[in-house]
Amino acid sequence: YEDEDPASPMDELIISGPNGSLKMAAMSPSLPIYVLDTNEAVIKTFTFEQPEHTAQRLVQLVTNEISGAKENTAPSRGENALRTSKVLDTVLAGYYDGRDDAFWERPDTWPGRH
């Protein structure tokens, strides 16, 4: 891996199989993916262009909304977030024995842990 700097720490994701493995940076969408043989020699390298920031459009919509821009207003007023929060509370209530209190302060009471 000629581009790696041994002094620079990197989180890696390695997927191993009987005929070799894939090795890639865990948190970088633009660093290469290496295909390795069983002796860890590089067979092939896949490279990618840096993608557009995935949340950039939403960040811009919210920024426009807050700054009063007339075009590109945010598509949600929070109803989606509130609905999602209610669904999560309902789904996780059984695991945490309720979520109406400071459930994170009483992990020993969570039925889902036992």
Side-chain angles (χ1 to χ4, degrees):
Y1 320 104
E2 62 280 349
D3 294 339
E4 291 184 14
D5 176 4
S8 177
M10 181 189 317
D11 288 335
E12 288 183 322
L13 175 63
I14 301 172
I15 302 170
S16 298
N19 298 320
S21 58
L22 297 174
K23 182 177 181 181
M24 64 198 83
M27 298 302 292
S28 175
S30 62
L31 290 178
I33 296 175
Y34 300 102
V35 179
L36 310 172
D37 65 16
T38 55
N39 296 317
E40 297 193 18
V42 176
I43 299 171
K44 189 166 186 163
T45 302
F46 293 97
T47 57
F48 305 93
E49 291 183 25
Q50 178 73 31
E52 178 184 356
H53 189 288
T54 57
Q56 181 59 40
R57 291 186 181 122
L58 179 60
V59 169
Q60 190 61 59
L61 285 172
V62 172
T63 302
N64 289 350
E65 183 76 21
I66 292 170
S67 67
K70 299 295 182 202
E71 73 283 346
N72 299 323
T73 58
S76 175
R77 297 284 179 247
E79 294 90 356
N80 293 348
L82 182 59
R83 192 169 44 251
T84 301
S85 180
K86 288 179 181 180
V87 168
L88 287 173
D89 283 342
T90 301
V91 169
L92 294 173
Y95 182 90
Y96 293 112
D97 194 23
R99 287 176 44 108
D100 296 327
D101 62 350
F103 64 92
W104 56 90
E105 294 177 355
R106 53 175 180 77
D108 54 318
T109 68
W110 299 349
R113 291 189 63 187
H114 306 289

